[in-house]
Amino acid sequence: MRDFSQSHEQLSLNTATVRKQWKLDRIIDECARRGIGAISPWREQVVAVGLEKVAKQLRDTGTELSGYCRGGFFPAADAAGLKAALDDNRKAIDEAKTVNAPCLVLVVGALPGALDGKAAYKDIARARGEVRDGIAASLEYAKNVGMPLAIEPLHPMQAADRACVNTLEQALDLCDELDPGRSGMLGVACDVYHVWWDPKLQEQIARAGEKRLLAFHVCDWLTPTRDLLNDRGMMGDGVIELKKLREWVEAAGFAGRCEVEIFSEHWWSKPGEEVLDTVIARHKSMV
Ligand code: ZN
């Protein structure tokens, strides 16, 4: 296993971690100043600054990407909605290409409308079928452009509203079905927050292997968790065995960046400088 204790050269910052403190251009500068050599930005943050401007700033500061957030949300109530989702995913793939991302992360979606409290239907099997079809269609385009797609399984507490793919096994079954040749263009984003509890985690990480482990996201699971979305913990403050999980992904061949992704009202209320300095320290001591 790689030694992270002396340097944070393998650290990437998911920019949602400080999205309430700073706009993306400031985040890139603050990361560069601290030797954080990679980020994973969100589309709305990129759009707020300007795609071409962000691409140039990344080049000028020598900042790499560990992913681009995000595509997905494939299910819809009708044909027009399904088509709109595919169009939007094509756009996300193009954006990811412009900022030279290694993959586009997919939060695949679930019951359409559920996020706003008005699910258009309740048939989660139908949603999973629409996810499969949506990934299949997007993968064709992604292959042409050369942008790998990383399916991120989400914790089952988000199965209704954000993602009806909830385990690594389920995500890898989709990979087997849609990309049996293991082209490297379809894989998974392994986020410890979503999958740490899974009794099959180690075997499914091994099953994914180097070709399909496209991203590794870290934070921690707090007890108690006070909010289903925005109460993630800083590494070391919760109950996830981070070093053990990193050992598993590295044993499977993962050699990429470890991306710190913390949605947290607590950390959003702190000065951004303090958050980044804490991220670096915990990355050395706890990841
Ligand atoms: Zn994640």
Side-chain angles (χ1 to χ4, degrees), residues 172-194:
L172 290 168
D173 286 349
L174 279 168
C175 293
D176 283 348
E177 181 184 345
L178 302 177
D179 187 38
R182 298 176 82 90
S183 68
M185 297 304 294
L186 184 62
V188 296
C190 178
D191 185 325
V192 300
Y193 193 72
H194 295 300

Side-chain angles (χ1 to χ4, degrees), residues 116-135:
D116 306 314
K118 295 183 291 267
Y121 62 74
K122 298 182 181 179
D123 183 352
I124 195 166
R126 170 177 165 186
R128 287 180 172 140
E130 291 175 357
V131 164
R132 182 196 57 228
D133 294 347
I135 295 175

Side-chain angles (χ1 to χ4, degrees), residues 87 111 133:
D87 291 346
L111 305 177
D133 294 347

Side-chain angles (χ1 to χ4, degrees), residues 152 191 194 217 232 261:
E152 181 163 342
D191 185 325
H194 295 300
H217 301 171
R232 294 187 180 208
E261 182 184 36

Side-chain angles (χ1 to χ4, degrees), residues 93-116:
I93 289 166
D94 289 339
E95 290 171 20
K97 199 71 193 168
T98 301
V99 289
N100 202 24
C103 63
L104 174 69
V105 173
L106 300 182
V107 173
V108 297
L111 305 177
L115 207 48
D116 306 314

Side-chain angles (χ1 to χ4, degrees), residues 35 39 59 118 125 171 176 182 188 193-194 197 199 202-203 205 222 247 252 275:
I39 63 167
R59 286 194 300 273
K118 295 183 291 267
D176 283 348
R182 298 176 82 90
V188 296
Y193 193 72
H194 295 300
W197 55 274
Q202 187 176 12
E203 69 180 59
I205 286 173
L222 299 178
E247 195 173 355
V275 177

